[in-house]
Amino acid sequence: MDSLEWKNKGKLVSIYNQRVFTIDVGNKEKETLVILHGYPTSSYDYYKVLPELAKKYRVIIHDHLGFGFSDKPIEYSYSLIEQADVALELWKQLGLKKVTLLAHDYGTSVATEIIARHNKQQINLQISSLILCNGSMHIELSKLRIIQKLLRNKITRKWVAKLTNYPIYRKNIRNVYFDKNKVTNNELQEMWYQLEHNNGKKVIHYLSNYINERYTFWHRWIGALKETQIPTKIIWAKNDPVAIDLIAGLLTIEIQNNELFWIDKCGHFPMLEKPNEWVKLVLN
């Protein structure tokens, strides 16, 4: 699927004076699944699995600000706290009262901020279940790529963002797959197109500050997972070179009501690398 076809599935919704690209598919009478995507990609990560998900759920997935087809303002914090604000306001505008929350990678930290507020009854949203996939919430265990380290550094990040090009991007995305042949050149080109869309390269170094926030808010967000009573399904690609399997193992100890499901011989993007296996675990 190309980017134009994906874009035509959604619409731009105004949230706090910013346009947020949102896909809302499936029967509105069914249970609602909301999805928080990862970094540095977009909602496009779910193009292979969306048709199956929509058979069971009303599926709502948006591009975080700074990603995909959403707005990418220059003067903006891109804090995970604000990304949570945007997600919650979007869901409020769509009239959601009860959801299953699924998050991957960067999205898992947005999710833990939402869970922290949910624990304190600060939001008017019932979360019936939580699904976590390959996210480095335990940032101290994460095996960050060199480019991630450079982009989070306040001295180097602006220059690295300027120098980043498609060959560098393509190499870094391929390297987080277990089977490098599972990602096509067309997919990589579409991912890059969406990253560049609307001057995206000018904000990518701001987006990378999420790594620093994972250290700053570690106690708040890991504490939220320890406190929550929400039934949680942990679906983890076992061969992820970034969000390693030790993180999933630790989450099973910390989250009170959880089940862990492994996807073997699979890297960081299980919904793209092993979509059939991944979607069966989500829908089970």
Side-chain angles (χ1 to χ4, degrees):
M1 181 181 292
D2 64 28
S3 292
L4 180 59
E5 191 178 351
W6 185 251
K7 189 176 183 181
N8 287 338
K9 286 184 175 294
K11 63 180 181 179
L12 293 170
V13 180
S14 180
I15 306 291
Y16 301 132
N17 299 316
Q18 303 290 347
R19 294 172 303 169
V20 176
F21 176 73
T22 306
I23 290 176
D24 183 352
V25 295
N27 189 334
K28 292 191 178 181
E29 300 303 313
K30 294 181 179 179
E31 185 179 348
T32 301
L33 175 70
V34 292
I35 299 176
L36 300 171
H37 73 78
Y39 170 99
T41 48
S42 69
S43 57
Y44 182 74
D45 292 348
Y46 295 86
Y47 85 91
K48 290 182 179 179
V49 296
L50 186 60
E52 285 300 310
L53 294 175
K55 289 178 182 178
K56 177 178 178 180
Y57 293 104
R58 174 189 180 185
V59 183
I60 296 168
I61 178 171
H62 70 280
D63 290 340
H64 305 296
L65 285 179
F67 296 79
F69 295 118
S70 288
D71 279 354
K72 298 170 181 176
I74 299 296
E75 295 183 1
Y76 193 79
S77 76
Y78 292 105
S79 168
L80 292 161
I81 304 286
E82 289 197 83
Q83 299 287 24
D85 291 339
V86 169
L88 288 166
E89 179 60 24
L90 171 66
W91 301 338
K92 181 180 177 182
Q93 286 193 25
L94 294 174
L96 305 186
K97 300 295 183 184
K98 181 180 179 181
V99 301
T100 290
L101 173 56
L102 186 154
H104 170 249
D105 184 71
Y106 176 102
T108 60
S109 288
V110 181
T112 51
E113 171 58 26
I114 290 169
I115 296 301
R117 301 183 198 185
H118 183 271
N119 291 344
K120 295 177 175 61
Q121 299 181 330
Q122 294 173 336
I123 57 175
N124 187 25
L125 181 70
Q126 185 179 347
I127 301 174
S128 58
S129 58
L130 176 64
I131 305 172
L132 299 174
C133 307
N134 291 79
S136 297
M137 297 87 89
H138 274 284
I139 189 65
E140 72 280 7
L141 296 177
S142 179
K143 304 295 183 184
L144 296 177
R145 318 303 284 182
I146 292 172
I147 194 166
Q148 288 178 298
K149 292 177 181 178
L150 292 171
L151 282 167
R152 68 176 281 227
N153 185 290
K154 290 183 178 180
I155 297 172
T156 58
R157 65 186 187 181
K158 186 175 181 180
W159 304 106
V160 173
K162 281 187 176 182
L163 294 171
T164 296
N165 56 28
Y166 174 63
I168 292 172
Y169 179 83
R170 179 180 61 199
K171 179 182 178 182
N172 277 278
I173 296 294
R174 277 195 191 278
N175 283 343
V176 297
Y177 275 70
F178 177 78
D179 182 349
K180 310 296 187 284
N181 295 316
K182 291 291 186 180
V183 59
T184 68
N185 286 325
N186 284 340
E187 282 177 325
L188 290 164
Q189 286 165 359
E190 298 301 338
M191 291 176 187
W192 177 251
Y193 170 78
Q194 292 185 39
L195 183 148
E196 278 200 306
H197 178 76
N198 200 13
N199 293 317
K201 275 186 65 178
K202 291 185 177 180
V203 304
I204 192 170
H205 55 296
Y206 297 129
L207 301 179
S208 303
N209 192 52
Y210 80 94
I211 298 170
N212 296 322
E213 283 194 293
R214 278 177 162 163
Y215 284 104
T216 301
F217 297 106
W218 190 97
H219 292 286
R220 175 176 173 82
W221 293 340
I222 297 300
L225 292 176
K226 291 178 178 179
E227 183 182 339
T228 187
Q229 302 294 315
I230 298 170
T232 301
K233 185 184 290 185
I234 302 166
I235 301 174
W236 217 266
K238 199 166 189 177
N239 308 97
D240 188 336
V242 182
I244 61 172
D245 56 359
L246 286 175
I247 296 175
L250 190 50
L251 292 175
T252 64
I253 297 170
E254 293 170 330
I255 300 172
Q256 296 176 48
N257 184 6
N258 77 83
E259 285 186 280
L260 171 62
F261 301 90
W262 294 111
I263 302 179
D264 201 17
K265 296 182 179 178
C266 185
H268 186 64
F269 292 97
M271 68 292 296
L272 287 169
E273 188 170 353
K274 287 200 170 183
N276 294 334
E277 189 172 342
W278 181 87
V279 81
K280 283 179 183 177
L281 292 172
V282 171
L283 296 177
N284 183 20

